[in-house]
Amino acid sequence: MEDWKEDELLTLTEAVALFWPRGPLTVTSLRTAGHEGTLEITVVAGKHFVTPAAIRSMGRKAVPRTETELVPSGIDPAADLLRRIAEERSPARRPRNKTSR
């Protein structure tokens, strides 16, 4: 991998062979990651290319960097969890047993 510069364009096939020669990712996996926005793909004349830098950063965008990114801004994650637990335990949320007696 030392032969490739961080900003050098690789075909998806080259990237798979270089980074995952025995799997688990394939050209289709990289295309999917590009469509999902977790891999930056450059399209030139209908051909898809990636850079080693883009491969190395793949997936980092998909994972929240901090715990506060998991819940909407301004909401305390611990308080939100306690609220949801209380809602689930509420008698109004429990299904009623409709068996005849």
Side-chain angles (χ1 to χ4, degrees):
M1 282 191 257
E2 293 85 32
D3 296 339
W4 299 92
K5 296 177 185 171
E6 284 297 295
D7 62 349
E8 191 168 349
L9 293 177
L10 307 167
T11 66
L12 298 183
T13 302
E14 290 171 330
V16 167
L18 184 64
F19 286 90
W20 302 280
R22 296 186 187 133
L25 297 185
T26 64
V27 170
T28 301
S29 304
L30 297 184
R31 279 197 190 104
T32 300
H35 289 293
E36 291 174 347
T38 58
L39 174 62
E40 185 179 330
I41 293 181
T42 301
V43 180
V44 178
K47 307 287 184 202
H48 294 81
F49 297 91
V50 293
T51 64
I55 292 289
R56 287 187 180 92
S57 68
M58 180 174 63
R60 292 183 192 158
K61 300 172 197 168
V63 178
R65 290 178 291 272
T66 65
E67 187 175 298
T68 57
E69 290 182 25
L70 296 173
V71 295
S73 179
I75 296 176
D76 177 32
D80 184 55
L81 176 61
L82 291 174
R83 179 191 55 76
R84 288 187 284 141
I85 290 171
E87 284 177 0
E88 288 297 319
R89 291 183 176 170
S90 168
R93 297 265 310 170
R94 291 189 186 137
R96 295 185 182 169
N97 189 352
K98 295 189 176 189
T99 59
S100 57
R101 295 184 182 182

